[in-house]
Amino acid sequence: MSTTTPEGPLKDALAQLARAAEHLDLSAGTHKMLATPRRELQVAVPLRRDDGSVAVYSGFRVQHNFTRGPAKGGLRYAPQVDLDEVRALAMWMTWKCALLDVPYGGAKGGVAFDPREHSDAELERITRRYTSEILPIIGPEVDVPAPDVGTNEQTMAWIMDTYSVAMGHTVPGIVTGKPLSLGGSLGRSMATSSGVAHVAQLALRSRGIEPHGATAAVQGFGKVGRGAALILAHAGVKVVAISDIDGAVANPDGLSITALGHYVDEHGSVVGFPGGDAIDPSELLAMEVDALIPAAVEGVLTKDTAPTVCASVVVEGANGPTTEAADTILADAGVLVVPDILANAGGVVVSYFEWVQAHQAYAWSEHDVEDRLRERMEKAWVDVTTYAAAHGMSLREAATAMAVRRVFEAHMLRGLYP
Ligand code: GLU
């Protein structure tokens, strides 16, 4: 790790770990080991653009921990990706997998470029080149990528193909979040959203708010926000505002999520949706709603925006949307924050189911996937809320402490080698 003082998500991730280490009374050496990624790879990703010119992007894969099993985590395509961001996201994956008790460590990957400014053919070349560059350190028993911001099922299909061609045989377990016809799991595409929506309802009920008739605002209308809004709307929650990267729409009577979905499929953005009024995206975080669901990127609830939050619960669909400073402000204001490593863990849980199905070469029914996902999310919710109450902690502190303890215990049993 670099010796410069980290900023942004890595600073938050390290501060969360430090609190857990103190609570668990870990030695300085153990704390340092958990703060340090096991392996990091930075690669150049040269791309021949469609116009014949050559661009070179930076790619990363950080494997934070392997103690409980293969490293696991998504691959992100976004302009702001850098090594520290990937380090933070990899560490959060370790805690998320441990908290949900899936037998993985944590990893994350990223390539720093804007996928919206690239053709499908360019995206394929970037993905295949990046996969070739990180090939020596990934594998179905080593490190298993999955979709994240800016990547999707098609990206996973290209990774699987590139890896399989190099190995000389088809390796379905190399990625999760694959298309169904390549061994993807039923229920995977909606898994993160489904977990978020499920936990949001548990959180509302814990506050004495019946989800049917409750209000919610969702930041982000991508893989996580869109599905969560849809499921919540089906449960009777009035989703009164939704934003995306280009703008935001609101309707106090509740937006029709199905109509908004059709509109976005056609126009590429929520902007101009006739079933609501345009609002400034920055207003969304401050809306008077029962549940606020940041489901876009990290660092949106800050010391400046957190004091404006009026919601009763914040459910983190995104990874790291709340900074350390914002966490304290929200806790002091009595806002219940359901942390990312719990709230959005549905994705990696069903990734695990997909990986198990790849190893079994046997596909489970959608019913099996959904039941097992719900069971795990509910257990994690009960475990975290019980621990938080017993120790007088926030849900994030409790979730992180429980996860860190599991990784630490596994490490103690394995020992430090040599
Ligand atoms: N990118 C998702 C996350 O942050 C899923 C990771 C996975 O399934 O491996 O949890």
Side-chain angles (χ1 to χ4, degrees), residues 348-371:
V348 76
V349 168
V350 179
S351 274
Y352 166 56
F353 296 162
E354 180 176 332
W355 181 82
V356 170
Q357 291 169 77
H359 281 70
Q360 294 175 326
Y362 183 81
W364 302 359
S365 71
E366 189 155 12
H367 183 72
D368 274 349
V369 171
E370 279 169 8
D371 276 2

Side-chain angles (χ1 to χ4, degrees), residues 208-219:
I209 302 168
E210 186 45 43
H212 193 96
T215 54
V218 181
Q219 182 188 49

Side-chain angles (χ1 to χ4, degrees), residues 72-74 93 96 108 144-148 176 188 319 344 347-348 351:
K72 184 84 190 79
M93 284 309 303
K96 195 185 299 187
K108 203 78 171 197
V144 183
D148 197 79
T176 58
R188 174 63 183 87
N319 290 310
N344 70 34
V348 76
S351 274

Side-chain angles (χ1 to χ4, degrees), residues 2-83:
S2 66
T3 48
T4 52
T5 312
E7 285 300 321
L10 184 57
K11 184 171 167 230
D12 293 333
L14 288 170
Q16 291 157 10
L17 170 61
R19 281 198 213 197
E22 196 185 326
H23 167 74
L24 297 169
D25 208 12
L26 300 185
S27 70
T30 302
H31 178 185
K32 186 160 190 191
M33 217 181 58
L34 293 171
T36 311
R38 297 272 72 80
R39 211 189 260 165
E40 304 182 336
L41 182 59
Q42 177 164 354
V43 297
V45 185
L47 163 73
R48 185 169 304 284
R49 299 218 57 171
D50 292 341
D51 66 7
S53 64
V54 172
V56 183
Y57 303 129
S58 295
F60 310 92
R61 187 77 189 167
V62 173
Q63 296 166 339
H64 172 257
N65 193 279
F66 297 99
T67 307
R68 304 178 75 255
K72 184 84 190 79
L75 167 62
R76 175 172 291 201
Y77 290 168
Q80 78 281 358
V81 162
D82 63 24
L83 184 54

